[in-house]
Amino acid sequence: MVEKQYTITDEAGIHARPASALVGSISKFQSDITLGFNGKQVNLKSILGVMSLGIASGSTVTIAADGTDEEEAMAKIDEVLKAEGISNQ
């Protein structure tokens, strides 16, 4: 299992457009990927799950990947979070 924390820097937080880009970019991976915020965890491959968390700018989230392609999945997540301006970590 690979786990990493991110601070959300987009001033609108994680809203529909970046959430959609993030979910779409990782759907091809076999690993189980979760997004944790405020004591709740959702499947990062679910746009509704991600949006249900209401993650605001400045929030810290935890993303975990567990499976055969977990390293590749986390690398893609890092890439998308930076490219979409969601987080600079």
Side-chain angles (χ1 to χ4, degrees), residues 4-57:
K4 189 169 178 182
Q5 289 193 327
Y6 298 91
T7 300
I8 305 306
T9 56
D10 186 311
E11 60 187 44
I14 298 183
H15 53 93
R17 184 190 50 76
S20 178
L22 185 57
V23 169
S25 70
I26 62 162
S27 61
K28 66 180 179 178
F29 293 101
Q30 296 295 315
S31 294
D32 291 327
I33 305 170
T34 58
L35 171 64
F37 175 66
N38 253 4
K40 297 180 182 175
Q41 285 195 344
V42 298
N43 181 349
L44 191 54
K45 296 178 184 179
S46 165
I47 187 77
L48 293 176
V50 173
M51 295 299 299
S52 74
L53 295 177
I55 301 169
S57 182

